[in-house]
Amino acid sequence: MGAIGAFYQTHRTTLGVLIPLAFLILLIAVFTSFNERFLSWVNVFNLMRQSSILLLVATGTTFVILMGAIDLSVGSIVTVVAITAALLLREAGMNAIEVVAIGAAIGAVCGAINGALVVYTRVPSFVATLSTMIVFGGISTWVAGGANVTFRNAEMTWLASGKLIWQIPNSGLWALVIFATAAFVGARSTFGRALYAIGAGGTAARLSGIDVSRIQMIAFIVSGILCGLAGLLLVARTSTGTARMGDDLLLEAIAAVVMGGTALSGGAGGVHRTILGVLVISVLKNGMNVAGVHPYAQIGITGLIVIIAVTLTLDRSRLASVK
């Protein structure tokens, strides 16, 4: 075991890509054997549509995890933005552009609240975002009056289900554009490098001249905005806002991030790798639906993947840095 452990630590970066990639290829092979149309263009576009929401949430979550923190409120932010958007479309008669702007702003405010709790009150991110998860979830239920909020708006529906380029669903197109932008920022910008530095050691980053508090605030706000955009795409696709509609995204986003190779201890991985984890989760869910696996069993299987992914990516020499 010592030799195996040493080998893994030495080749952590390479294995962090090869293991999920091999698992993805295995999943595709298995599900294609069950249904030969699994790799058809129709199902590929369906996968893009299904994975777009998760890709946005997981991208925002990656920014937070890279600095060694966690955001447990992502699903609740998606829900509160989705329900608010549905109400604005139905009750206030706003157009799609106005609703998108307001939804993104609500996500930014939620992210700023999370960031302020972590930065200014020094509450650990796990506790802070666990609390706001409950608060945001309660607000969404209260705003909706405990009922589903349905609406009809052709512009909003087109944003998610329309096709601007060929047969690619717009939701998948927007998600890919935003992901590519975020991946570039995470890998090439001063902000991205600061996230790695904070994840590797907050004290050392502060001593090197990085404004740690400002970077932490920005990371949480970015996460909130991306969750808000995910909520907008989700409600645009379903034309209905429901309480707790974003709850499953928390587990799936964390699973995608760690499966993609970003360690929960922070400082390793990157936004550009998250898409691999999103593909694994999306293909797994789509394949299990095709195979007729019970929804509750799907949740359990996803949870098992989180355990395996964390086990493979967590740097145990830096457990104290997981905040």
Side-chain angles (χ1 to χ4, degrees):
M1 289 299 293
I4 295 176
F7 176 82
Y8 178 76
Q9 290 297 326
T10 303
H11 300 85
R12 172 185 290 273
T13 301
T14 302
L15 292 175
V17 175
L18 292 180
I19 292 175
L21 181 60
F23 187 43
L24 177 62
I25 294 173
L26 176 63
L27 287 176
I28 293 174
V30 170
F31 292 134
T32 302
S33 68
F34 278 113
N35 190 332
E36 60 183 14
R37 290 182 296 180
F38 181 78
L39 284 180
S40 66
W41 281 113
V42 173
N43 196 49
V44 169
F45 290 138
N46 186 43
L47 273 171
M48 290 185 65
R49 187 179 297 105
Q50 292 175 347
S51 62
S52 60
I53 311 299
L54 176 58
L55 180 58
L56 289 178
V57 177
T59 298
T61 302
T62 307
F63 281 118
V64 175
I65 291 180
L66 266 177
M67 59 183 185
I70 193 74
D71 186 354
L72 301 180
S73 68
V74 292
S76 294
I77 296 176
V78 169
T79 300
V80 74
V81 170
I83 288 179
T84 301
L87 284 170
L88 291 174
L89 288 165
R90 190 182 72 177
E91 305 296 339
M94 291 186 176
N95 60 48
I97 301 301
E98 293 172 330
V99 171
V100 169
I102 293 174
I106 292 173
V109 170
C110 292
I113 292 172
N114 287 333
L117 288 173
V118 173
V119 172
Y120 299 116
T121 68
R122 301 299 179 184
V123 175
S125 60
F126 181 91
V127 177
T129 58
L130 177 62
S131 302
T132 55
M133 176 185 73
I134 299 171
V135 172
F136 297 153
I139 290 174
S140 62
T141 303
W142 172 65
V143 169
N148 295 343
V149 182
T150 59
F151 66 90
R152 289 187 179 182
N153 186 290
E155 292 180 349
M156 198 68 182
T157 300
W158 180 86
L159 283 177
S161 303
K163 296 176 178 63
L164 187 64
I165 299 177
W166 194 36
Q167 295 298 312
I168 301 175
N170 283 343
S171 57
L173 179 63
W174 309 139
L176 286 174
V177 170
I178 292 172
F179 167 77
T181 304
F184 177 83
V185 170
R188 300 295 182 180
S189 70
T190 301
F191 168 69
R193 290 190 290 271
L195 289 177
Y196 284 98
I198 295 171
T203 301
R206 189 173 288 107
L207 292 174
S208 66
I210 295 175
D211 189 341
V212 174
S213 297
R214 184 176 69 87
I215 297 299
Q216 289 176 323
M217 281 293 297
I218 293 175
F220 277 106
I221 291 173
V222 169
S223 177
I225 292 173
L226 293 183
C227 288
L229 294 176
L232 290 166
L233 285 182
L234 181 58
V235 78
R237 192 178 71 189
T238 60
S239 296
T240 304
T242 62
R244 309 181 71 86
M245 66 189 300
D247 285 6
D248 291 346
L249 288 168
L250 170 59
L251 176 62
E252 293 174 4
I254 295 175
V257 172
V258 295
M259 179 66 73
T262 299
L264 285 176
S265 50
V271 177
H272 61 286
R273 294 174 59 170
T274 296
I275 193 169
L276 183 57
V278 170
L279 286 174
V280 170
I281 298 298
S282 299
V283 168
L284 179 64
K285 288 183 63 180
N286 182 273
M288 288 191 294
N289 286 331
V290 171
V293 178
H294 194 281
Y296 292 156
Q298 293 184 27
I299 296 174
I301 292 172
T302 305
L304 180 61
I305 289 175
V306 174
I307 295 173
I308 296 173
V310 171
T311 301
L312 292 175
T313 62
L314 187 61
D315 186 351
R316 287 158 185 79
S317 66
R318 300 180 58 246
L319 286 177
S321 66
V322 182
K323 296 175 278 296

